[in-house]
Amino acid sequence: LWLDLPLEFVWRSVLIFGAVPSAAVIFVRSKMEETEMYKESHSEQSVALSTHFREALGHIRQYWRPLVGTTMTWLLLDVTFYGTGSFKHRVSASLDPGGSEGSPRDEVWKEAVFATLCSCMAIPGYLLSIAFIDRLGRYTVQLWGFVAMA
């Protein structure tokens, strides 16, 4: 944005630069040799899909309560986290209702600053969870993290 490039060029170049590390990891991983443990586990007689399915259902029946609890808490996290990201423009507009409309470049800059502030607001929570996870336990840290987000 400081270079006064067209916004169409800016978002495309940011997208490309964001894809380069992922593409590099995929390329390097495809060239790596598999570990001995992986080769040994796949050299044995392959098991039928129905056997895998039966074993998976057995695990689900045994651990269904923690699985449902974990999936629901992650669902709530995703709804709040991605919901904030999706409606960030409306949230920032409601915080500055009398804000003057500027050029598209100014709007992009304001949105980028607001997104940075939203991300920085989460840093204390991350640091506190790292500091207290062994003392309080994972369940308690997760519970109070969701309470704080609510």
Side-chain angles (χ1 to χ4, degrees):
L1 293 174
W2 286 313
L3 298 175
D4 286 331
L5 296 171
L7 292 178
E8 293 80 18
F9 179 77
V10 171
W11 78 262
R12 286 183 174 97
S13 59
V14 168
L15 183 68
I16 289 170
F17 287 130
V20 167
S22 299
V25 167
I26 291 170
F27 176 75
V28 170
R29 179 63 185 102
S30 69
K31 299 297 180 189
M32 288 175 61
E33 187 177 336
E34 298 295 344
T35 62
E36 290 300 320
M37 186 184 303
Y38 179 83
K39 289 178 184 177
E40 288 174 13
S41 69
H42 281 75
S43 67
E44 299 171 2
Q45 185 109 338
S46 62
V47 181
L49 181 62
S50 61
T51 306
H52 279 295
F53 187 69
R54 206 172 314 117
E55 288 178 11
L57 281 178
H59 289 299
I60 290 171
R61 282 189 192 112
Q62 183 179 1
Y63 298 109
W64 73 272
R65 285 184 183 92
L67 284 171
V68 168
T70 304
T71 55
M72 289 298 110
T73 54
W74 279 108
L75 174 71
L76 292 174
L77 174 74
D78 287 344
V79 166
T80 56
F81 187 76
Y82 294 119
T84 302
S86 298
F87 297 104
K88 203 173 286 177
H89 179 73
R90 289 186 182 190
V91 172
S92 66
S94 69
L95 294 176
D96 186 21
S100 61
E101 292 295 322
S103 67
R105 186 170 302 281
D106 294 336
E107 291 296 317
V108 169
W109 183 256
K110 285 180 6 184
E111 292 300 321
V113 168
F114 185 71
T116 304
L117 289 174
C118 287
S119 298
C120 289
M121 287 172 47
I123 292 174
Y126 298 148
L127 296 176
L128 286 172
S129 66
I130 291 169
F132 291 113
I133 193 131
D134 289 332
R135 277 186 244 156
L136 299 176
R138 285 158 175 72
Y139 176 82
T140 307
V141 167
Q142 189 177 21
L143 173 73
W144 286 108
F146 283 127
V147 168
M149 281 194 313

